[in-house]
Coordinates of all heavy atoms in Angstrom, one line a residue:
N1 N -173.7 54.9 -129.2 CA -175.1 54.6 -128.8 C -175.3 53.1 -128.8 O -175.4 52.5 -129.9 CB -176.1 55.2 -129.8 CG -177.6 55.1 -129.4 OD1 -178.0 54.0 -129.0 ND2 -178.3 56.1 -129.5
P2 N -175.3 52.4 -127.7 CA -175.3 50.9 -127.6 C -176.6 50.3 -128.1 O -176.6 49.2 -128.7 CB -175.1 50.6 -126.2 CG -175.5 51.8 -125.4 CD -175.1 53.0 -126.3
C3 N -177.7 51.0 -128.0 CA -179.0 50.5 -128.5 C -179.0 50.5 -130.0 O -179.4 49.5 -130.6 CB -180.2 51.4 -128.0 SG -180.4 51.3 -126.3
L4 N -178.4 51.5 -130.6 CA -178.3 51.5 -132.1 C -177.4 50.4 -132.6 O -177.7 49.7 -133.5 CB -177.7 52.9 -132.5 CG -177.6 53.2 -134.0 CD1 -177.8 54.7 -134.2 CD2 -176.2 52.8 -134.5
R5 N -176.3 50.2 -131.8 CA -175.3 49.1 -132.2 C -176.0 47.7 -132.0 O -175.7 46.8 -132.8 CB -174.0 49.2 -131.4 CG -172.9 48.4 -131.9 CD -172.4 49.0 -133.3 NE -172.0 50.4 -133.2 CZ -172.4 51.3 -134.1 NH1 -173.1 51.0 -135.1 NH2 -172.0 52.5 -134.0
C6 N -176.8 47.6 -131.0 CA -177.5 46.3 -130.8 C -178.4 46.0 -131.9 O -178.5 44.9 -132.4 CB -178.2 46.3 -129.4 SG -179.0 44.8 -129.0
N7 N -179.2 47.0 -132.3 CA -180.1 46.8 -133.5 C -179.3 46.4 -134.7 O -179.7 45.5 -135.4 CB -180.9 48.1 -133.8 CG -181.9 48.4 -132.7 OD1 -182.5 47.4 -132.1 ND2 -182.2 49.6 -132.5
E8 N -178.2 47.1 -134.9 CA -177.4 46.8 -136.1 C -176.8 45.4 -136.1 O -176.9 44.6 -137.1 CB -176.3 47.9 -136.3 CG -175.4 47.7 -137.5 CD -174.2 48.6 -137.5 OE1 -174.0 49.2 -136.4 OE2 -173.5 48.7 -138.5
K9 N -176.0 45.1 -135.0 CA -175.2 43.9 -135.0 C -175.9 42.7 -134.5 O -175.5 41.6 -134.8 CB -174.0 44.2 -134.1 CG -173.0 45.3 -134.7 CD -172.4 44.8 -136.0 CE -171.4 45.8 -136.5 NZ -170.8 45.4 -137.8
I10 N -176.9 42.9 -133.6 CA -177.5 41.7 -132.9 C -178.9 41.4 -133.6 O -179.1 40.4 -134.3 CB -177.7 41.9 -131.4 CG1 -176.3 42.3 -130.8 CG2 -178.3 40.7 -130.8 CD1 -175.2 41.2 -131.0
K11 N -179.8 42.3 -133.4 CA -181.2 42.0 -133.8 C -181.4 41.9 -135.3 O -182.2 41.2 -135.8 CB -182.2 43.1 -133.3 CG -182.2 43.0 -131.7 CD -183.1 44.2 -131.2 CE -183.1 44.1 -129.7 NZ -183.7 45.3 -129.1
F12 N -180.6 42.8 -136.1 CA -180.8 42.8 -137.5 C -179.6 42.3 -138.3 O -179.4 42.6 -139.5 CB -181.3 44.1 -138.0 CG -182.7 44.4 -137.5 CD1 -183.0 45.1 -136.4 CD2 -183.8 43.9 -138.2 CE1 -184.2 45.3 -135.9 CE2 -185.1 44.1 -137.8 CZ -185.3 44.8 -136.6
E13 N -178.7 41.7 -137.7 CA -177.6 41.0 -138.4 C -177.5 39.6 -137.9 O -177.8 38.7 -138.6 CB -176.3 41.8 -138.1 CG -175.1 41.2 -139.0 CD -173.8 42.1 -138.9 OE1 -173.9 43.3 -139.2 OE2 -172.8 41.5 -138.5
A14 N -177.1 39.4 -136.7 CA -177.0 38.0 -136.1 C -178.3 37.3 -136.1 O -178.4 36.2 -136.6 CB -176.4 38.1 -134.7
V15 N -179.3 37.9 -135.6 CA -180.6 37.3 -135.5 C -181.3 37.1 -136.8 O -181.8 36.0 -137.2 CB -181.6 38.0 -134.5 CG1 -183.0 37.5 -134.5 CG2 -181.0 38.0 -133.1
L16 N -181.3 38.1 -137.6 CA -181.9 38.0 -139.0 C -181.2 37.0 -139.8 O -181.9 36.2 -140.5 CB -181.9 39.4 -139.6 CG -182.6 39.5 -141.0 CD1 -184.0 39.0 -141.0 CD2 -182.5 40.9 -141.6
D17 N -179.9 37.0 -139.8 CA -179.1 36.0 -140.6 C -179.5 34.6 -140.2 O -179.7 33.7 -141.0 CB -177.6 36.2 -140.4 CG -177.1 37.5 -141.1 OD1 -177.9 38.1 -141.9 OD2 -175.9 37.8 -140.9
R18 N -179.6 34.4 -138.9 CA -180.0 33.0 -138.4 C -181.4 32.7 -138.8 O -181.7 31.6 -139.2 CB -179.8 32.9 -136.9 CG -180.0 31.5 -136.4 CD -179.9 31.4 -134.9 NE -178.6 31.6 -134.4 CZ -178.2 31.5 -133.1 NH1 -179.2 31.1 -132.2 NH2 -177.0 31.7 -132.7
A19 N -182.3 33.7 -138.6 CA -183.7 33.5 -139.0 C -183.9 33.1 -140.4 O -184.6 32.1 -140.8 CB -184.5 34.7 -138.6
L20 N -183.2 33.8 -141.3 CA -183.3 33.5 -142.8 C -182.7 32.1 -143.1 O -183.3 31.4 -143.9 CB -182.6 34.6 -143.6 CG -183.2 36.0 -143.5 CD1 -182.4 37.0 -144.3 CD2 -184.7 36.0 -144.0
A21 N -181.6 31.8 -142.4 CA -181.0 30.5 -142.6 C -181.9 29.3 -142.1 O -181.9 28.2 -142.7 CB -179.7 30.4 -141.9
L22 N -182.8 29.6 -141.1 CA -183.7 28.6 -140.6 C -185.0 28.6 -141.4 O -185.9 27.8 -141.0 CB -184.0 28.9 -139.1 CG -182.8 28.6 -138.2 CD1 -183.2 29.1 -136.8 CD2 -182.5 27.1 -138.2
G23 N -185.2 29.4 -142.4 CA -186.3 29.4 -143.2 C -187.4 30.4 -142.9 O -188.5 30.4 -143.5
F24 N -187.1 31.3 -142.0 CA -188.1 32.4 -141.7 C -188.0 33.4 -142.8 O -187.0 33.6 -143.4 CB -187.8 33.0 -140.3 CG -188.1 32.2 -139.1 CD1 -187.1 31.3 -138.6 CD2 -189.4 32.1 -138.6 CE1 -187.4 30.5 -137.5 CE2 -189.7 31.3 -137.5 CZ -188.7 30.5 -136.9
D25 N -189.2 34.1 -143.0 CA -189.3 35.1 -144.0 C -188.9 36.5 -143.4 O -188.5 37.4 -144.2 CB -190.7 35.2 -144.6 CG -191.1 33.8 -145.2 OD1 -190.4 33.4 -146.2 OD2 -192.1 33.3 -144.8
A26 N -189.1 36.7 -142.2 CA -188.9 38.0 -141.6 C -188.7 37.9 -140.1 O -189.1 36.9 -139.5 CB -190.1 38.9 -141.9
V27 N -188.2 39.0 -139.5 CA -188.1 39.2 -138.1 C -189.0 40.4 -137.7 O -189.0 41.4 -138.3 CB -186.7 39.5 -137.7 CG1 -186.6 40.0 -136.2 CG2 -185.8 38.3 -137.8
A28 N -189.8 40.2 -136.7 CA -190.7 41.2 -136.1 C -190.2 41.7 -134.8 O -189.8 40.9 -134.0 CB -192.1 40.7 -136.0
T29 N -190.2 43.0 -134.5 CA -189.8 43.5 -133.2 C -190.9 44.6 -132.8 O -191.7 45.0 -133.6 CB -188.4 44.2 -133.3 OG1 -188.6 45.5 -134.0 CG2 -187.4 43.4 -134.0
G30 N -190.7 45.0 -131.6 CA -191.7 46.0 -131.0 C -191.2 47.4 -131.1 O -191.7 48.3 -130.4
H31 N -190.4 47.7 -132.1 CA -189.9 49.1 -132.3 C -191.1 50.0 -132.8 O -191.9 49.5 -133.5 CB -188.8 49.1 -133.3 CG -187.5 48.6 -132.8 ND1 -187.0 47.4 -133.1 CD2 -186.5 49.2 -132.0 CE1 -185.8 47.2 -132.5 NE2 -185.5 48.3 -131.9
H32 N -191.0 51.2 -132.3 CA -192.0 52.2 -132.7 C -191.5 52.9 -134.0 O -190.8 53.9 -133.9 CB -192.3 53.2 -131.6 CG -193.2 52.6 -130.6 ND1 -194.6 52.9 -130.5 CD2 -193.0 51.8 -129.5 CE1 -195.1 52.3 -129.5 NE2 -194.2 51.6 -128.9
A33 N -191.7 52.3 -135.1 CA -191.3 52.8 -136.4 C -192.2 52.1 -137.5 O -192.9 51.1 -137.1 CB -189.8 52.6 -136.6
R34 N -192.1 52.5 -138.7 CA -192.9 51.9 -139.8 C -191.9 51.5 -140.9 O -190.9 52.2 -141.2 CB -193.9 52.9 -140.3 CG -195.0 53.2 -139.3 CD -196.0 54.2 -139.9 NE -195.4 55.6 -139.9 CZ -196.0 56.7 -140.4 NH1 -197.1 56.5 -141.0 NH2 -195.4 57.8 -140.4
V35 N -192.2 50.4 -141.5 CA -191.6 50.0 -142.8 C -192.7 49.9 -143.8 O -193.6 49.1 -143.7 CB -190.8 48.7 -142.7 CG1 -190.3 48.3 -144.1 CG2 -189.6 48.9 -141.8
E36 N -192.6 50.7 -144.9 CA -193.6 50.7 -145.9 C -192.9 50.7 -147.3 O -192.1 51.6 -147.6 CB -194.5 51.9 -145.9 CG -195.3 52.0 -144.5 CD -196.1 53.3 -144.4 OE1 -196.0 54.1 -145.3 OE2 -196.8 53.4 -143.4
G37 N -193.1 49.6 -148.0 CA -192.5 49.4 -149.3 C -191.0 49.3 -149.1 O -190.2 49.8 -150.0
G38 N -190.5 48.8 -148.0 CA -189.1 48.6 -147.8 C -188.4 49.9 -147.3 O -187.2 50.0 -147.1
V39 N -189.2 50.9 -147.0 CA -188.7 52.2 -146.6 C -189.0 52.5 -145.1 O -190.1 52.2 -144.7 CB -189.2 53.4 -147.4 CG1 -188.9 54.7 -146.9 CG2 -188.7 53.2 -148.9
L40 N -188.1 52.9 -144.3 CA -188.2 53.2 -142.9 C -188.8 54.6 -142.7 O -188.3 55.6 -143.2 CB -186.9 53.1 -142.2 CG -186.9 53.3 -140.7 CD1 -187.7 52.2 -140.0 CD2 -185.4 53.3 -140.2
R41 N -189.9 54.6 -141.9 CA -190.5 55.9 -141.6 C -190.7 56.1 -140.0 O -190.7 55.1 -139.3 CB -191.9 56.0 -142.3 CG -191.8 56.0 -143.8 CD -193.2 56.0 -144.4 NE -193.8 57.3 -144.1 CZ -195.1 57.5 -144.3 NH1 -195.9 56.6 -144.8 NH2 -195.7 58.7 -144.0
R42 N -190.9 57.3 -139.6 CA -191.1 57.6 -138.2 C -192.5 57.0 -137.7 O -193.4 56.8 -138.5 CB -191.1 59.1 -138.0 CG -189.8 59.8 -138.0 CD -189.9 61.2 -137.5 NE -188.6 62.0 -137.6 CZ -187.6 61.9 -136.8 NH1 -187.7 61.1 -135.7 NH2 -186.6 62.7 -137.0
S43 N -192.5 56.8 -136.4 CA -193.8 56.5 -135.8 C -194.6 57.7 -135.6 O -194.1 58.8 -135.4 CB -193.5 55.8 -134.4 OG -194.7 55.8 -133.6
P44 N -196.0 57.6 -135.6 CA -196.8 58.8 -135.3 C -196.6 59.2 -133.8 O -197.0 60.4 -133.5 CB -198.2 58.3 -135.6 CG -198.1 56.8 -135.4 CD -196.8 56.4 -135.9
D45 N -196.2 58.4 -132.9 CA -195.9 58.7 -131.6 C -194.5 59.3 -131.5 O -193.5 58.6 -131.3 CB -196.1 57.5 -130.6 CG -196.0 57.9 -129.2 OD1 -195.5 59.0 -128.8 OD2 -196.4 57.1 -128.3
Q46 N -194.4 60.6 -131.6 CA -193.1 61.3 -131.7 C -192.3 61.1 -130.5 O -191.0 61.0 -130.5 CB -193.2 62.8 -132.0 CG -193.8 63.1 -133.4 CD -192.9 62.6 -134.5 OE1 -191.7 62.9 -134.6 NE2 -193.5 61.7 -135.4
G47 N -192.9 60.9 -129.3 CA -192.2 60.7 -128.1 C -191.6 59.4 -128.0 O -190.6 59.2 -127.2
K48 N -192.1 58.4 -128.7 CA -191.5 57.0 -128.7 C -190.9 56.6 -130.0 O -190.4 55.5 -130.1 CB -192.7 56.1 -128.3 CG -193.2 56.2 -126.9 CD -192.1 55.9 -125.9 CE -192.6 56.0 -124.4 NZ -191.5 55.6 -123.5

């Protein structure tokens, strides 16, 4: 699943690592999902 691999290796490894090194606190994306208390949860829009 290349989208899954892109999230893992690019958006939340390469990009996040560089962002933290540059002094950013977080990376925001347009994914339809929730993070609450550091825990990942589904979006209420089940189709997306």
